[in-house]
Amino acid sequence: MAATIHLVRGYPILHWQLAPIWFALLIVVGFLMVSTWRFYSFKDLNLRNRRPFQTLILICAFLGLLVAFHNHMLFIMSITYMLSGVFTRLSYMFRRRPPQPAEPVYKEAPQPR
């Protein structure tokens, strides 16, 4: 929500047509805050590996964009992170296999010919 307020520079909603959109965003963010959905934690980001140069360049470019375009970048970051959790959850739901029927405990004896 702070990124959204920063995006509009703290001004109130000037057009009433946008109010339902912001309200829906507030409800979605509130739901995601109390849900048990998993979000990426960046704990496996390893900068101690032998060649962290590419990762370091990406982080520096990202920070440069963040400083230059802070209003839009913070909002884009927050929406991207929010959508990543939603897409992760949806992909998990669609990848799950339905439960297989249990095999019978006994097997029938083969029929003689």
Side-chain angles (χ1 to χ4, degrees):
M1 291 314 302
T4 306
I5 293 169
H6 188 67
L7 175 71
V8 296
R9 294 178 174 90
Y11 292 115
I13 299 172
L14 299 177
H15 303 287
W16 66 269
Q17 295 90 350
L18 295 176
I21 295 170
W22 291 118
F23 186 65
L25 181 66
L26 181 69
I27 289 174
V28 168
V29 169
F31 169 75
L32 290 175
M33 286 175 62
V34 298
S35 71
T36 57
W37 292 11
R38 306 300 251 163
F39 288 86
Y40 186 66
S41 65
F42 297 100
K43 289 180 182 177
D44 61 350
L45 185 65
N46 185 9
L47 295 177
R48 295 183 184 189
N49 62 357
R50 196 165 180 150
R51 297 190 182 164
F53 185 71
Q54 292 86 4
T55 308
L56 191 62
I57 291 295
L58 286 174
I59 290 172
C60 288
F62 177 75
L63 290 175
L65 285 172
L66 187 60
V67 169
F69 306 104
H70 54 90
N71 288 355
H72 300 289
M73 282 299 292
L74 285 174
F75 184 73
I76 290 169
M77 274 178 25
S78 62
I79 293 294
T80 303
Y81 189 68
M82 180 181 74
L83 291 177
S84 74
V86 172
F87 288 140
T88 302
R89 178 65 176 203
L90 290 176
S91 68
Y92 170 74
M93 288 171 50
F94 290 124
R95 273 188 304 167
R96 270 194 319 190
R97 295 189 181 119
Q100 301 295 328
E103 291 185 24
V105 177
Y106 64 92
K107 293 187 177 183
E108 295 182 19
Q111 299 294 328
R113 292 185 186 197

